[in-house]
Amino acid sequence: MADLLRFTALKAYDLLTGRHLLARLQELNRTQWLDREELLTLQRKKLHGLLAYAYRYVPYYQRLFDQVNFKPDDVLADLTALHKLPVLTKAIIRENFDDMLTTEGKRRAQMEKLTTGGSTGRPLIFMQDSNFRDYVTADIHRHLGWAGWKLGQPHAYIWGASFEVGRWQVLRVKLMDWVLNRFLTTAYVLSEEGMSAFAAQVRRRRPRILFGYPSSLYHFAEFVREHGMDDIKFEAIFGSAEVLYPAQRQFIEEVFAGKMFNRYGSRELGGIACECEAHTALHASIENVYIEILRELEGNEPTQPGETGHIVVTNLNNYGMPFIRYSIEDMGAWSSRESCPCGRELPLMELIQGRRIDMFKTRDGRDVWGGFASPLFGMEGVKQFQVVQKSLDLVVARIVKEGELDQARLDTIERTVKVALGDHVRVEFEFPDEIPILDSGKYRYVISEISENRRDQGVS
Ligand SMILES: [Zn+2]
């Protein structure tokens, strides 16, 4: 009865809001069984549609395509025609933000602004239309289906909650939580108290599936083990948006007595790939993304299966602000496996490398995910930042300035740190000319020297 009610509510939700969540889910559940040829044909058709739209409605691409003499129709004959277009970087997006938005009024009206919580020193601001968001949610639910989940069954998330959510958005999210039968605890502050409350909720609602960042899942698993909560089990655990380390996986699977599904995705692109029930590698969602893995970002030389390279993604659904050949700053490889026992012919990718988020410690024993900094730090005057926890009482905020950075903004930063870590914490500012890049080619935007030392000593 409740299931039918939820199904009806989801239909009503789609009707009321003009969204197409249910239709998209059904579509992805169907296309995942197409054979490889059919999938590639579908993908090329969607790619062509996006390129044609971008050329018609998006000033940045109009200019770029003309400059390099690229015609959207070129990809119909030869996909490598796409190589004429340079790789899209975060810097290019920032410089051309307004020109990258569609000029089509109808679509502009349904755009939502978002910020990445990514591991680079400066979050990216971008916009997404509702068609894109429908596909993102539908893709998550398709992947849950690979673990046996059905629409309406309870499932739990340990996930970041945005600070920027308005009242109407909160209501909508609440409605969706009920309709989809999902519940969430925030990953920003995983206190003992928060984890106890979450554990109680899990006991009450008995979700079969848990979804979260690997670091948060690992943390919750440690908590469950420490407190001897032997009844907290999940059949399937999805780790997403962070690297899943083999040791984490093993521990999480052991504690929860379930199988882990490694998933790869990002806020700006949605789901990119996910493990299926055969757990061979990650199936790429090629109905939603066109993926290239390149030896160098400058050249257009693709890697061989098994060879790690730079991942470059074109999202096929976000017409509102198209990301064409976007460098997501992750490394990965095509799998050397040709096929998967599950029978799906979505191409297989190997483990993604290169992202890591640190946990901060507090004096009262909480672990706080460093991502607390990201939504607020997309601010004017801040070119790059790095927040370093020196001790339980001292945090250093390194900021590379861009123009003027007034005191009010510095106060906001200080408040954010205190809210997350405690009022007694002292915040010191440093203003270097640059923040060095790691060997992996990335910035670390949060560093907890306490956590680092703990790891060195093998304590964590
Ligand atoms: Zn498979």
Side-chain angles (χ1 to χ4, degrees), residues 334-346:
W334 291 113
S335 173
S336 352
R337 278 174 182 274
E338 269 299 299
S339 64
C340 183
C342 76
R344 294 182 190 87
E345 297 190 13
L346 295 163

Side-chain angles (χ1 to χ4, degrees), residues 189-287:
V189 182
L190 277 181
S191 61
E192 288 267 315
E193 212 182 5
M195 285 195 281
S196 290
F198 185 62
Q201 225 177 349
V202 167
R203 282 181 164 143
R204 206 166 54 244
R205 298 181 61 172
R206 294 282 156 207
R208 295 170 51 219
I209 289 172
L210 178 63
F211 193 106
Y213 307 121
S215 64
S216 312
L217 296 168
Y218 182 77
H219 235 67
F220 184 57
E222 274 185 321
F223 172 85
V224 163
R225 160 129 331 158
E226 265 168 37
H227 291 78
M229 297 175 161
D230 295 338
D231 60 320
I232 299 217
K233 305 285 181 213
F234 300 95
E235 277 171 45
I237 309 105
F238 283 78
S240 193
E242 262 178 39
V243 177
L244 174 65
Y245 296 98
Q248 283 177 317
R249 179 183 198 126
Q250 202 186 346
F251 183 77
I252 295 166
E253 288 189 337
E254 207 180 286
V255 171
F256 295 136
K259 286 299 275 183
M260 273 218 77
F261 290 70
N262 193 8
R263 187 170 187 270
Y264 175 50
S266 78
R267 274 198 104 173
E268 65 267 46
L269 296 167
I272 296 170
C274 187
E275 260 176 43
C276 68
E277 63 276 20
H279 304 281
T280 47
L282 287 78
H283 285 287
S285 296
I286 67 168
E287 310 100 319

Side-chain angles (χ1 to χ4, degrees), residues 27 31 34 37-47 286-287 316:
E27 179 188 321
T31 54
L34 295 177
E37 243 359 89
E38 293 168 322
L39 277 164
L40 292 175
T41 305
L42 169 68
Q43 186 191 40
R44 192 183 290 222
K45 213 172 120 198
K46 282 185 77 169
L47 178 64
I286 67 168
E287 310 100 319
L316 305 177

